[in-house]
């Protein structure tokens, strides 16, 4: 994240912090508690900034020289509070923009609108999905900030320089399948754990409100649920070397993929890739297809369910008989998972709802 921070500091934040919190206001502020002062002094006295790549302490930045505003704020670039605030603003904004842009494009150009007539499509579903996602994203970001700060201060295997000592381009190419396989494994076990009754009830149930998803359901999680499923993405660079640009690319790709598996467009019945069809089965029938990218761990864990053949026939997948079959089976499984009471408000006027 230091690459991102440097760009934003250079073009936006240096001037903003210097304007909003200039050094000249320091005499007007109350003295910090003695304990806090001692803690800061201890950290500074015991940290060798000359040998560790900590953003703000390097004399040379990757791309830019310091701006004239860089040292005019009460919160300099290396201040952790500033880094937290900056990362929160950047990542939340990026998360919202990516979510709304990709989900909107998918909805308008890919999503099959006939799903609106499915008996398990909810009233006002899209607005509810958007509300859940847009409020969850900043909380998920806040929970993720400690990982970004740790990466920023050198506590990871993220690197920038491409040379033989780091494996060169060959290592970078291998990092992509390694990242996907590692995170796919981690997400499988986390996702499956989230279906344990207590975790499901308290964390994962909001995401399963959407039986028939739209792309806007992609990020419509309880924020702790969404954060938990993102953990493998942050653990990977703590254990294995990963190029910083690859990290940013993969972080963006993961968000794209999350939208794609909720878009309801079943392009192929691939036995390996956990695509939209597999994830549709997960939302319809709850206890299957927990994987994110592949079907490997579902097959090994006995939780793989092959997508219904009707999903790949454009006529049959919107046929009322297909929907009735899905609904009957879904209701049986839903009762086992959630109990007899169904809190959802379906569009279908003849849907049976137990109050």
């Amino acid at each position: 994240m230091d690459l991102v921070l440097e760009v934003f500091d250079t073009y936006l934040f240096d001037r903003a912090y210097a304007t909003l919190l200039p050094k000249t206001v320091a005499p007007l502020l109350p003295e910090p508690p003695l304990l806090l002062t001692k803690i800061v002094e201890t950290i500074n006295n015991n940290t060798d900034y000359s040998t560790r790549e900590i953003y703000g302490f390097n004399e040379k930045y990757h791309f830019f020289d310091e701006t004239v505003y860089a040292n005019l704020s009460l919160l300099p670039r290396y201040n952790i509070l500033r880094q937290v605030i900056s990362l929160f603003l950047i990542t939340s904004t990026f998360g919202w923009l990516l979510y709304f842009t990709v989900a909107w494009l998918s909805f308008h150009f890919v999503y099959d609108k006939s799903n609106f007539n499915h008996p398990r499509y909810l009233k006002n579903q899209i607005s509810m999905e958007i509300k859940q996602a847009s409020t969850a994203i900043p909380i998920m970001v806040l929970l993720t900030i400690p990982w970004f700060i740790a990466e920023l201060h050198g506590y990871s295997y993220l690197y920038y320089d491409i040379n033989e000592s780091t494996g060169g381009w060959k290592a970078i190419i291998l990092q992509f399948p390694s990242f996907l396989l590692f995170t796919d494994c981690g997400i499988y076990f986390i996702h499956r754990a989230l279906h344990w009754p207590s975790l499901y009830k308290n964390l994962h149930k909001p995401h399963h409100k959407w039986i028939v998803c739209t792309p806007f359901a992609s990020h419509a999680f309880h924020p702790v649920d969404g954060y938990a499923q993102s953990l493998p993405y942050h653990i990977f660079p703590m254990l294995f070397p990963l190029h910083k640009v690859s990290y940013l690319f993969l972080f963006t790709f993961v968000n794209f993929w999350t939208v794609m598996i909720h878009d309801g467009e079943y392009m192929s019945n691939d036995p390996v890739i956990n695509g939209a069809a597999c994830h549709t089965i997960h939302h319809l029938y709850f206890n299957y297809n927990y994987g994110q990218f592949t079907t490997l761990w579902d097959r090994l864990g006995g939780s793989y369910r092959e997508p219904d053949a009707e999903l790949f026939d454009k006529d049959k997948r919107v046929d009322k008989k297909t929907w009735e079959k899905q609904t009957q089976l879904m209701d049986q499984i839903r009762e086992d998972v959630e109990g007899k009471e169904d809190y959802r408000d379906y569009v279908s006027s003849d849907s049976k709802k137990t109050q």
Side-chain angles (χ1 to χ4, degrees), residues 87-89 91-92 95 136-146 148:
L87 287 170
F88 175 77
L89 293 174
T91 314
S92 295
I137 285 172
I139 301 175
M140 288 190 282
V141 168
L142 194 61
L143 294 171
T144 306
I145 291 295
F148 290 156

Side-chain angles (χ1 to χ4, degrees), residues 121-320:
Y121 186 81
L122 306 182
K123 292 181 180 179
N124 304 313
Q125 179 168 319
I126 291 178
S127 62
M128 290 191 294
E129 288 171 340
I130 290 174
K131 181 180 178 182
Q132 178 72 41
S134 58
T135 54
I137 285 172
I139 301 175
M140 288 190 282
V141 168
L142 194 61
L143 294 171
T144 306
I145 291 295
W147 292 98
F148 290 156
I149 293 294
E151 294 162 5
L152 198 62
H153 287 250
Y155 296 100
S156 75
Y157 289 99
L158 289 170
Y159 67 95
Y160 184 74
D161 186 26
I162 302 173
N163 54 52
E164 288 304 316
S165 65
T166 58
W169 285 101
K170 184 178 180 180
I172 291 176
I173 293 171
L174 291 174
Q175 286 167 10
F176 283 78
S178 299
F179 179 90
L180 294 177
L181 289 172
F182 177 89
T183 56
D184 191 45
C185 174
I187 291 171
Y188 172 80
F189 287 103
I190 292 170
H191 191 180
R192 187 156 188 174
L194 285 163
H195 277 258
W196 292 346
S198 58
L199 290 178
Y200 179 85
K201 179 180 178 181
N202 292 294
L203 294 179
H204 197 50
K205 189 175 181 179
H207 188 61
H208 274 276
K209 183 174 184 176
W210 333 114
I211 302 295
V212 180
C213 298
T214 80
F216 293 102
S218 58
H219 292 68
F221 289 93
H222 184 292
V224 177
D225 176 6
Y227 167 72
Q229 294 195 59
S230 75
L231 283 174
Y233 307 136
H234 307 295
I235 293 173
F236 183 88
M238 295 292 171
L239 300 177
F240 308 103
L242 181 62
H243 193 268
K244 292 180 179 181
V245 175
S246 300
Y247 176 70
L248 294 174
F249 175 83
L250 287 164
F251 193 77
T252 303
F253 167 76
V254 164
N255 284 274
F256 270 91
W257 185 264
T258 303
V259 174
M260 289 168 59
I261 61 175
H262 290 87
D263 66 12
E265 184 59 37
Y266 317 116
M267 299 178 67
S268 68
N269 189 10
D270 192 293
V272 176
I273 303 300
N274 185 78
C278 282
H279 201 67
T280 291
I281 294 301
H282 178 72
H283 276 268
L284 279 172
Y285 307 137
F286 293 83
N287 296 325
Y288 306 94
N289 301 352
Y290 300 104
Q292 179 79 349
F293 302 114
T294 76
T295 63
L296 171 63
W297 290 99
D298 280 299
R299 291 178 184 276
L300 293 174
S303 55
Y304 176 70
R305 183 186 182 110
E306 185 177 354
D308 300 340
E310 293 87 346
L311 294 178
F312 303 97
D313 185 314
K314 290 188 176 181
D315 294 323
K316 288 184 179 180
R317 75 183 183 194
V318 297
D319 187 89
K320 288 186 177 180

Side-chain angles (χ1 to χ4, degrees), residues 50-116:
S50 64
T51 59
R52 293 185 53 201
E53 293 187 5
I54 297 180
Y55 183 73
F57 286 96
N58 296 329
E59 292 182 0
K60 294 181 180 179
Y61 293 88
H62 291 126
F63 299 111
F64 307 103
D65 293 328
E66 287 186 336
T67 68
V68 295
Y69 303 100
N71 299 302
L72 298 181
S73 174
L74 194 63
L75 297 180
R77 288 185 177 189
Y78 59 81
N79 183 277
I80 290 181
L81 176 59
R82 168 171 164 167
Q83 292 171 354
V84 169
I85 295 170
S86 299
L87 287 170
F88 175 77
L89 293 174
I90 293 168
T91 314
S92 295
T93 302
F94 176 76
W96 281 321
L97 287 174
L98 191 63
Y99 166 70
F100 283 110
T101 301
V102 179
W104 183 87
L105 289 172
S106 177
F107 177 76
H108 283 280
F109 296 106
V110 177
Y111 186 66
D112 186 353
K113 311 300 189 298
S114 62
N115 283 331
F116 292 161

